[in-house]
Amino acid sequence: MPPRSSCRARTVLLSAAVASPLAWSQGVPAGPAAHLPEIAVRGPRDAGIGTADSASEGAAERASFQSRPKLRPGDIVEAVPGVVATQHSGDGKANQYFLRGFNLDHGTDFAVTVDGMPVNMPTHGHGQGYADLNFLIPELVSGVRYRKGPYFADDGDFSLAGSASMDYVGMLDAPFAELGLGAHGYRRLLAGGSRTVEDRTWLGAVELHAADGPWQVPERLRKANAVLRHSQGSPARGLQLTAMAYQARWISTDQVPERLIDGGGLPRFGSLNPTDGGRTRRLSLSGSWFDEGPDGKTRLSAYAIDYRFDLFSDFTYFLADPVQGDQFEQVDRRRVFGVQAAHSRPLRIGGREGVLSVGAQWRGDRIGEVGLYPTAGRARIGTVRSDRVSLDLLSAHAQQMLQFSDRLRGYAGLRADWLRYHVRGRDEAYGPVNGGRGDDFLLSPKAGLAWTVAPAHELYLNAGTGFHSNDVRGATITADPQTGDPAERVPALVRGRGAELGWRFQPSDGVAFTAALWQLLLDSELVYVGDAGTTEAGRASRRRGVEATLRYPLGAHWRMELDAAWSRARFRGDAPPGEGRYVDNAAGRVVAAGIVWQRGPWTATARLRHMGSRALDTTNTVRARPVTLLNVGARYAASRHLTLGLEVFNLADRRGNDIEYFYASCTAGEVAAGVCGGGIDGRHVHPMEPRSVRLGARWSF
């Protein structure tokens, strides 16, 4: 394949500039005979040599992420190489994410969007950047596009480690109804269909889901989900409106002390508080309009979200309150509004072909209540902190791409973010002193180069600064709401700096290999601790690592995928007395391998995921055990109407843990025995589910 000419580069650059991982999918039908539209979901070859801006960006193939078994809806983000999605509580709660040396908690530095709407929640009741994907219907997802690192001007809050963008299809081949049954009380009903008249398409889907899990206290997950989408226009110009509704309730088995399991005092899937759990609701309405032509591309979108969240957790049992226990409730009630605009057009500079991309976003969060309350059996017995919060994040960005020669292209960009916030305390004790107003502003430069060394080889160099926001309650705090002691304020926006050297090798269609050597520096690991209602001032940190991906067809019917990531996360500077330099719970090694076989009516897949050992404290004295998980699945199209499915999770029935922590706790029995003192330090675990089987049947009308 010869190097592209500068004339060809103009088209390539325009396509790459507009179809970014955070671009909005069109989802507009081309006519009555159209099938599942994937207009904005380019395959790996489209994010490849001659078009990609970095080695660590790409698009997951729809056939791959749809065929792999998914224990939870949020597992779909594991289509992003190097990402691990796990769980330390009930399945109604957001996943725990790991990527690039980060324990991302529930999404602190991993930005996720669905249908152009941000999923991450700033100043959330449970944790900053909380990204709950349980409202997602995986079967409707048209594509998963991803980026890593703070190298692109249109990436904003929470995207320091990476970002993933998902959208739903605009049309279905045929109406369908699908029933799933499985172990541990798993029941799921999904129905969907679409109708096209001329250039207009209506799509609807409804999901009902119930499960108890393997837990001693049944989870009693009850979930309802619905989607309604209207698309109108052509691939060149159109609009789209989408309404979503989701609600769930559940009982959770949180992590428990491993010492109790080892001593026989608690079953492996036992619970220390049968009233832990939660309920949540998410309603949204979004719309987008686009216009694409030879002289430029324009996108406009807007969204509104109504969100409710109540979570009851108990991680230390009777350590703080030996009489009533340590359960607490976290509450979040908010409305989110946003507007986004982007425009790209060809622009020559110094006689060289290029593309200028500009955009702006506004997001407003109106939080009626974000609070933390001590509870006993889900009944409130006090208030730690309760606030009303108003957040406005206004952003603008510009990025210029240039083709310097047939083999060399590059870009430079600048992003500006201004955050304005107002915290008003609702509790009588410390609400008046912990409230306040403020703002913060950051400029983030970005740049990158791509050099086509040979037709099948391309090298990349990327660098940039980015940020993540902190919970703004930490930016206005004056007194610790638990003790009354003076509290240290934290900046609302925290800067990070990253760089990456990458290589992409694509010798033929279907074969792709990428490798990236990266580094990310954070000015501070400052966080607001939602479980305590206060802030923790962390140290500056450095993360560095190596990633590699391979996509390779093994004949006409087989396809192999292999991802490997190694990272090293350390605090910078001198360690305080008694502490070390390890960033605790930062995954250092992640390996994933998958294989898909398809022949005639049969499709089979196997997916192996390994997460290596990692430090559970800053001194590396206690380490989490490595975890390896194997899931398999198969589908058989018995007829034009009937498709049968089988999924087996944890095929080897390994006794690993989804998550491990190291901290002090005290149980009721240990209080009675008088052995607690200031608490018993130990490993706390949430076991991964044992081998389970799910069966499915889909009828297409």
PDB file of all heavy atoms in Angstrom, residues 539 541 543 568-572 575 579-586 614-623:
ATOM      1  N   ARG A 539      -0.346  12.422  47.609  1.00  0.00           N
ATOM      2  CA  ARG A 539       0.900  12.943  47.073  1.00  0.00           C
ATOM      3  C   ARG A 539       0.877  12.935  45.543  1.00  0.00           C
ATOM      4  O   ARG A 539       0.023  12.305  44.928  1.00  0.00           O
ATOM      5  CB  ARG A 539       2.067  12.081  47.570  1.00  0.00           C
ATOM      6  CG  ARG A 539       2.336  12.236  49.056  1.00  0.00           C
ATOM      7  CD  ARG A 539       3.370  11.212  49.503  1.00  0.00           C
ATOM      8  NE  ARG A 539       2.767   9.912  49.764  1.00  0.00           N
ATOM      9  CZ  ARG A 539       3.440   8.772  49.825  1.00  0.00           C
ATOM     10  NH1 ARG A 539       4.735   8.772  49.609  1.00  0.00           N
ATOM     11  NH2 ARG A 539       2.835   7.643  50.088  1.00  0.00           N
ATOM     12  N   SER A 541       2.112  11.777  41.924  1.00  0.00           N
ATOM     13  CA  SER A 541       2.389  10.401  41.520  1.00  0.00           C
ATOM     14  C   SER A 541       2.904  10.344  40.085  1.00  0.00           C
ATOM     15  O   SER A 541       2.730  11.279  39.296  1.00  0.00           O
ATOM     16  CB  SER A 541       1.121   9.549  41.640  1.00  0.00           C
ATOM     17  OG  SER A 541       0.128   9.995  40.737  1.00  0.00           O
ATOM     18  N   ARG A 543       2.985   7.396  36.872  1.00  0.00           N
ATOM     19  CA  ARG A 543       2.640   6.083  36.337  1.00  0.00           C
ATOM     20  C   ARG A 543       3.299   5.932  34.972  1.00  0.00           C
ATOM     21  O   ARG A 543       3.298   6.851  34.172  1.00  0.00           O
ATOM     22  CB  ARG A 543       1.116   5.925  36.215  1.00  0.00           C
ATOM     23  CG  ARG A 543       0.400   5.815  37.546  1.00  0.00           C
ATOM     24  CD  ARG A 543      -1.108   5.893  37.353  1.00  0.00           C
ATOM     25  NE  ARG A 543      -1.831   5.581  38.566  1.00  0.00           N
ATOM     26  CZ  ARG A 543      -2.095   6.457  39.543  1.00  0.00           C
ATOM     27  NH1 ARG A 543      -1.657   7.714  39.414  1.00  0.00           N
ATOM     28  NH2 ARG A 543      -2.757   6.093  40.612  1.00  0.00           N
ATOM     29  N   ARG A 568       3.520   0.625  36.195  1.00  0.00           N
ATOM     30  CA  ARG A 568       4.187   0.851  37.481  1.00  0.00           C
ATOM     31  C   ARG A 568       3.698   2.182  38.024  1.00  0.00           C
ATOM     32  O   ARG A 568       3.860   3.224  37.380  1.00  0.00           O
ATOM     33  CB  ARG A 568       5.705   0.876  37.293  1.00  0.00           C
ATOM     34  CG  ARG A 568       6.515   1.028  38.571  1.00  0.00           C
ATOM     35  CD  ARG A 568       7.998   1.038  38.231  1.00  0.00           C
ATOM     36  NE  ARG A 568       8.839   1.017  39.417  1.00  0.00           N
ATOM     37  CZ  ARG A 568       9.261   2.106  40.067  1.00  0.00           C
ATOM     38  NH1 ARG A 568       8.897   3.313  39.618  1.00  0.00           N
ATOM     39  NH2 ARG A 568      10.028   2.007  41.130  1.00  0.00           N
ATOM     40  N   ALA A 569       3.079   2.165  39.191  1.00  0.00           N
ATOM     41  CA  ALA A 569       2.515   3.376  39.798  1.00  0.00           C
ATOM     42  C   ALA A 569       3.213   3.649  41.127  1.00  0.00           C
ATOM     43  O   ALA A 569       3.206   2.793  42.024  1.00  0.00           O
ATOM     44  CB  ALA A 569       1.017   3.206  40.021  1.00  0.00           C
ATOM     45  N   ARG A 570       3.795   4.829  41.254  1.00  0.00           N
ATOM     46  CA  ARG A 570       4.512   5.200  42.471  1.00  0.00           C
ATOM     47  C   ARG A 570       4.210   6.658  42.815  1.00  0.00           C
ATOM     48  O   ARG A 570       4.015   7.506  41.932  1.00  0.00           O
ATOM     49  CB  ARG A 570       6.024   5.048  42.294  1.00  0.00           C
ATOM     50  CG  ARG A 570       6.492   3.636  41.992  1.00  0.00           C
ATOM     51  CD  ARG A 570       6.333   2.717  43.186  1.00  0.00           C
ATOM     52  NE  ARG A 570       6.949   1.427  42.917  1.00  0.00           N
ATOM     53  CZ  ARG A 570       6.318   0.398  42.356  1.00  0.00           C
ATOM     54  NH1 ARG A 570       5.046   0.527  41.984  1.00  0.00           N
ATOM     55  NH2 ARG A 570       6.952  -0.739  42.161  1.00  0.00           N
ATOM     56  N   PHE A 571       4.208   6.942  44.133  1.00  0.00           N
ATOM     57  CA  PHE A 571       4.148   8.325  44.588  1.00  0.00           C
ATOM     58  C   PHE A 571       5.513   8.965  44.387  1.00  0.00           C
ATOM     59  O   PHE A 571       6.560   8.318  44.519  1.00  0.00           O
ATOM     60  CB  PHE A 571       3.752   8.399  46.057  1.00  0.00           C
ATOM     61  CG  PHE A 571       2.321   8.032  46.314  1.00  0.00           C
ATOM     62  CD1 PHE A 571       2.000   6.873  47.007  1.00  0.00           C
ATOM     63  CD2 PHE A 571       1.292   8.841  45.869  1.00  0.00           C
ATOM     64  CE1 PHE A 571       0.684   6.532  47.250  1.00  0.00           C
ATOM     65  CE2 PHE A 571      -0.026   8.510  46.100  1.00  0.00           C
ATOM     66  CZ  PHE A 571      -0.335   7.355  46.802  1.00  0.00           C
ATOM     67  N   ARG A 572       5.500  10.256  44.067  1.00  0.00           N
ATOM     68  CA  ARG A 572       6.740  10.992  43.900  1.00  0.00           C
ATOM     69  C   ARG A 572       7.111  11.692  45.205  1.00  0.00           C
ATOM     70  O   ARG A 572       6.267  11.997  46.035  1.00  0.00           O
ATOM     71  CB  ARG A 572       6.596  12.022  42.784  1.00  0.00           C
ATOM     72  CG  ARG A 572       6.488  11.411  41.395  1.00  0.00           C
ATOM     73  CD  ARG A 572       6.448  12.505  40.339  1.00  0.00           C
ATOM     74  NE  ARG A 572       5.145  13.158  40.274  1.00  0.00           N
ATOM     75  CZ  ARG A 572       4.931  14.366  39.776  1.00  0.00           C
ATOM     76  NH1 ARG A 572       5.954  15.082  39.338  1.00  0.00           N
ATOM     77  NH2 ARG A 572       3.724  14.880  39.730  1.00  0.00           N
ATOM     78  N   ALA A 575       8.442   9.917  51.179  1.00  0.00           N
ATOM     79  CA  ALA A 575       7.264   9.323  51.813  1.00  0.00           C
ATOM     80  C   ALA A 575       7.164   9.765  53.264  1.00  0.00           C
ATOM     81  O   ALA A 575       8.176   9.832  53.973  1.00  0.00           O
ATOM     82  CB  ALA A 575       7.342   7.805  51.735  1.00  0.00           C
ATOM     83  N   GLU A 579       4.852   5.323  55.777  1.00  0.00           N
ATOM     84  CA  GLU A 579       4.261   5.076  54.461  1.00  0.00           C
ATOM     85  C   GLU A 579       5.355   4.809  53.440  1.00  0.00           C
ATOM     86  O   GLU A 579       6.525   5.141  53.639  1.00  0.00           O
ATOM     87  CB  GLU A 579       3.407   6.272  54.018  1.00  0.00           C
ATOM     88  CG  GLU A 579       2.176   6.490  54.872  1.00  0.00           C
ATOM     89  CD  GLU A 579       1.233   7.509  54.255  1.00  0.00           C
ATOM     90  OE1 GLU A 579       1.284   7.666  53.012  1.00  0.00           O
ATOM     91  OE2 GLU A 579       0.471   8.136  55.000  1.00  0.00           O
ATOM     92  N   GLY A 580       4.942   4.213  52.333  1.00  0.00           N
ATOM     93  CA  GLY A 580       5.865   3.924  51.257  1.00  0.00           C
ATOM     94  C   GLY A 580       5.517   4.695  50.009  1.00  0.00           C
ATOM     95  O   GLY A 580       4.747   5.658  50.036  1.00  0.00           O
ATOM     96  N   ARG A 581       6.048   4.256  48.867  1.00  0.00           N
ATOM     97  CA  ARG A 581       5.865   4.982  47.612  1.00  0.00           C
ATOM     98  C   ARG A 581       4.925   4.266  46.656  1.00  0.00           C
ATOM     99  O   ARG A 581       4.672   4.758  45.554  1.00  0.00           O
ATOM    100  CB  ARG A 581       7.219   5.219  46.943  1.00  0.00           C
ATOM    101  CG  ARG A 581       8.175   6.066  47.776  1.00  0.00           C
ATOM    102  CD  ARG A 581       9.458   6.366  47.023  1.00  0.00           C
ATOM    103  NE  ARG A 581       9.159   7.097  45.798  1.00  0.00           N
ATOM    104  CZ  ARG A 581       9.704   6.804  44.625  1.00  0.00           C
ATOM    105  NH1 ARG A 581      10.540   5.789  44.513  1.00  0.00           N
ATOM    106  NH2 ARG A 581       9.413   7.516  43.547  1.00  0.00           N
ATOM    107  N   TYR A 582       4.402   3.100  47.045  1.00  0.00           N
ATOM    108  CA  TYR A 582       3.488   2.379  46.166  1.00  0.00           C
ATOM    109  C   TYR A 582       2.097   3.022  46.188  1.00  0.00           C
ATOM    110  O   TYR A 582       1.589   3.396  47.253  1.00  0.00           O
ATOM    111  CB  TYR A 582       3.365   0.922  46.601  1.00  0.00           C
ATOM    112  CG  TYR A 582       4.560   0.067  46.255  1.00  0.00           C
ATOM    113  CD1 TYR A 582       5.722   0.131  47.014  1.00  0.00           C
ATOM    114  CD2 TYR A 582       4.543  -0.788  45.155  1.00  0.00           C
ATOM    115  CE1 TYR A 582       6.830  -0.642  46.702  1.00  0.00           C
ATOM    116  CE2 TYR A 582       5.641  -1.564  44.836  1.00  0.00           C
ATOM    117  CZ  TYR A 582       6.783  -1.486  45.607  1.00  0.00           C
ATOM    118  OH  TYR A 582       7.871  -2.251  45.284  1.00  0.00           O
ATOM    119  N   VAL A 583       1.493   3.154  45.011  1.00  0.00           N
ATOM    120  CA  VAL A 583       0.093   3.577  44.932  1.00  0.00           C
ATOM    121  C   VAL A 583      -0.751   2.328  45.155  1.00  0.00           C
ATOM    122  O   VAL A 583      -0.711   1.390  44.361  1.00  0.00           O
ATOM    123  CB  VAL A 583      -0.226   4.199  43.557  1.00  0.00           C
ATOM    124  CG1 VAL A 583      -1.710   4.573  43.480  1.00  0.00           C
ATOM    125  CG2 VAL A 583       0.646   5.423  43.322  1.00  0.00           C
ATOM    126  N   ASP A 584      -1.478   2.317  46.260  1.00  0.00           N
ATOM    127  CA  ASP A 584      -2.172   1.093  46.647  1.00  0.00           C
ATOM    128  C   ASP A 584      -3.292   0.744  45.672  1.00  0.00           C
ATOM    129  O   ASP A 584      -3.978   1.608  45.143  1.00  0.00           O
ATOM    130  CB  ASP A 584      -2.725   1.201  48.076  1.00  0.00           C
ATOM    131  CG  ASP A 584      -3.488   2.476  48.320  1.00  0.00           C
ATOM    132  OD1 ASP A 584      -2.928   3.557  48.119  1.00  0.00           O
ATOM    133  OD2 ASP A 584      -4.672   2.386  48.697  1.00  0.00           O
ATOM    134  N   ASN A 585      -3.434  -0.569  45.448  1.00  0.00           N
ATOM    135  CA  ASN A 585      -4.473  -1.174  44.605  1.00  0.00           C
ATOM    136  C   ASN A 585      -4.350  -0.782  43.132  1.00  0.00           C
ATOM    137  O   ASN A 585      -5.328  -0.854  42.380  1.00  0.00           O
ATOM    138  CB  ASN A 585      -5.874  -0.848  45.120  1.00  0.00           C
ATOM    139  CG  ASN A 585      -6.695  -2.107  45.350  1.00  0.00           C
ATOM    140  OD1 ASN A 585      -6.623  -3.046  44.556  1.00  0.00           O
ATOM    141  ND2 ASN A 585      -7.465  -2.125  46.417  1.00  0.00           N
ATOM    142  N   ALA A 586      -3.154  -0.398  42.708  1.00  0.00           N
ATOM    143  CA  ALA A 586      -2.926  -0.089  41.296  1.00  0.00           C
ATOM    144  C   ALA A 586      -2.527  -1.373  40.575  1.00  0.00           C
ATOM    145  O   ALA A 586      -1.499  -1.975  40.881  1.00  0.00           O
ATOM    146  CB  ALA A 586      -1.829   0.966  41.155  1.00  0.00           C
ATOM    147  N   ARG A 614      -1.005  -7.029  43.121  1.00  0.00           N
ATOM    148  CA  ARG A 614      -0.812  -5.590  43.273  1.00  0.00           C
ATOM    149  C   ARG A 614      -0.723  -5.241  44.751  1.00  0.00           C
ATOM    150  O   ARG A 614      -1.246  -5.961  45.620  1.00  0.00           O
ATOM    151  CB  ARG A 614      -1.959  -4.815  42.624  1.00  0.00           C
ATOM    152  CG  ARG A 614      -3.318  -5.143  43.191  1.00  0.00           C
ATOM    153  CD  ARG A 614      -4.451  -4.658  42.301  1.00  0.00           C
ATOM    154  NE  ARG A 614      -5.753  -4.912  42.908  1.00  0.00           N
ATOM    155  CZ  ARG A 614      -6.386  -6.078  42.847  1.00  0.00           C
ATOM    156  NH1 ARG A 614      -5.834  -7.093  42.213  1.00  0.00           N
ATOM    157  NH2 ARG A 614      -7.566  -6.230  43.416  1.00  0.00           N
ATOM    158  N   ALA A 615      -0.055  -4.138  45.051  1.00  0.00           N
ATOM    159  CA  ALA A 615       0.121  -3.703  46.438  1.00  0.00           C
ATOM    160  C   ALA A 615      -1.204  -3.223  47.016  1.00  0.00           C
ATOM    161  O   ALA A 615      -1.932  -2.471  46.368  1.00  0.00           O
ATOM    162  CB  ALA A 615       1.161  -2.593  46.511  1.00  0.00           C
ATOM    163  N   LEU A 616      -1.508  -3.654  48.234  1.00  0.00           N
ATOM    164  CA  LEU A 616      -2.716  -3.199  48.925  1.00  0.00           C
ATOM    165  C   LEU A 616      -2.417  -2.112  49.950  1.00  0.00           C
ATOM    166  O   LEU A 616      -3.341  -1.584  50.574  1.00  0.00           O
ATOM    167  CB  LEU A 616      -3.408  -4.379  49.613  1.00  0.00           C
ATOM    168  CG  LEU A 616      -4.005  -5.442  48.682  1.00  0.00           C
ATOM    169  CD1 LEU A 616      -4.684  -6.540  49.483  1.00  0.00           C
ATOM    170  CD2 LEU A 616      -4.984  -4.823  47.699  1.00  0.00           C
ATOM    171  N   ASP A 617      -1.141  -1.808  50.147  1.00  0.00           N
ATOM    172  CA  ASP A 617      -0.764  -0.687  51.005  1.00  0.00           C
ATOM    173  C   ASP A 617       0.433   0.001  50.369  1.00  0.00           C
ATOM    174  O   ASP A 617       1.042  -0.500  49.424  1.00  0.00           O
ATOM    175  CB  ASP A 617      -0.459  -1.145  52.437  1.00  0.00           C
ATOM    176  CG  ASP A 617       0.727  -2.099  52.503  1.00  0.00           C
ATOM    177  OD1 ASP A 617       1.211  -2.543  51.437  1.00  0.00           O
ATOM    178  OD2 ASP A 617       1.176  -2.402  53.621  1.00  0.00           O
ATOM    179  N   THR A 618       0.780   1.182  50.859  1.00  0.00           N
ATOM    180  CA  THR A 618       1.820   1.977  50.214  1.00  0.00           C
ATOM    181  C   THR A 618       3.215   1.424  50.438  1.00  0.00           C
ATOM    182  O   THR A 618       4.160   1.833  49.754  1.00  0.00           O
ATOM    183  CB  THR A 618       1.765   3.434  50.715  1.00  0.00           C
ATOM    184  OG1 THR A 618       1.987   3.458  52.135  1.00  0.00           O
ATOM    185  CG2 THR A 618       0.406   4.061  50.393  1.00  0.00           C
ATOM    186  N   THR A 619       3.383   0.511  51.384  1.00  0.00           N
ATOM    187  CA  THR A 619       4.695  -0.083  51.647  1.00  0.00           C
ATOM    188  C   THR A 619       4.894  -1.400  50.915  1.00  0.00           C
ATOM    189  O   THR A 619       5.958  -2.014  51.027  1.00  0.00           O
ATOM    190  CB  THR A 619       4.887  -0.310  53.156  1.00  0.00           C
ATOM    191  OG1 THR A 619       3.892  -1.234  53.629  1.00  0.00           O
ATOM    192  CG2 THR A 619       4.759   0.996  53.925  1.00  0.00           C
ATOM    193  N   ASN A 620       3.891  -1.864  50.189  1.00  0.00           N
ATOM    194  CA  ASN A 620       3.954  -3.137  49.465  1.00  0.00           C
ATOM    195  C   ASN A 620       4.128  -4.323  50.411  1.00  0.00           C
ATOM    196  O   ASN A 620       4.676  -5.363  50.043  1.00  0.00           O
ATOM    197  CB  ASN A 620       5.091  -3.116  48.429  1.00  0.00           C
ATOM    198  CG  ASN A 620       4.948  -4.220  47.400  1.00  0.00           C
ATOM    199  OD1 ASN A 620       3.843  -4.640  47.062  1.00  0.00           O
ATOM    200  ND2 ASN A 620       6.076  -4.708  46.899  1.00  0.00           N
ATOM    201  N   THR A 621       3.657  -4.178  51.651  1.00  0.00           N
ATOM    202  CA  THR A 621       3.745  -5.264  52.628  1.00  0.00           C
ATOM    203  C   THR A 621       2.687  -6.322  52.364  1.00  0.00           C
ATOM    204  O   THR A 621       2.935  -7.528  52.519  1.00  0.00           O
ATOM    205  CB  THR A 621       3.574  -4.712  54.054  1.00  0.00           C
ATOM    206  OG1 THR A 621       4.552  -3.699  54.289  1.00  0.00           O
ATOM    207  CG2 THR A 621       3.722  -5.824  55.087  1.00  0.00           C
ATOM    208  N   VAL A 622       1.498  -5.886  51.953  1.00  0.00           N
ATOM    209  CA  VAL A 622       0.385  -6.795  51.672  1.00  0.00           C
ATOM    210  C   VAL A 622       0.024  -6.655  50.202  1.00  0.00           C
ATOM    211  O   VAL A 622      -0.139  -5.541  49.704  1.00  0.00           O
ATOM    212  CB  VAL A 622      -0.837  -6.482  52.557  1.00  0.00           C
ATOM    213  CG1 VAL A 622      -1.955  -7.484  52.302  1.00  0.00           C
ATOM    214  CG2 VAL A 622      -0.445  -6.466  54.028  1.00  0.00           C
ATOM    215  N   ARG A 623      -0.112  -7.777  49.515  1.00  0.00           N
ATOM    216  CA  ARG A 623      -0.410  -7.746  48.089  1.00  0.00           C
ATOM    217  C   ARG A 623      -1.658  -8.568  47.785  1.00  0.00           C
ATOM    218  O   ARG A 623      -1.906  -9.612  48.413  1.00  0.00           O
ATOM    219  CB  ARG A 623       0.766  -8.291  47.274  1.00  0.00           C
ATOM    220  CG  ARG A 623       2.011  -7.425  47.362  1.00  0.00           C
ATOM    221  CD  ARG A 623       3.094  -7.924  46.431  1.00  0.00           C
ATOM    222  NE  ARG A 623       2.720  -7.868  45.026  1.00  0.00           N
ATOM    223  CZ  ARG A 623       2.813  -6.787  44.269  1.00  0.00           C
ATOM    224  NH1 ARG A 623       3.263  -5.648  44.783  1.00  0.00           N
ATOM    225  NH2 ARG A 623       2.463  -6.828  42.992  1.00  0.00           N
TER     226      ARG A 623
END
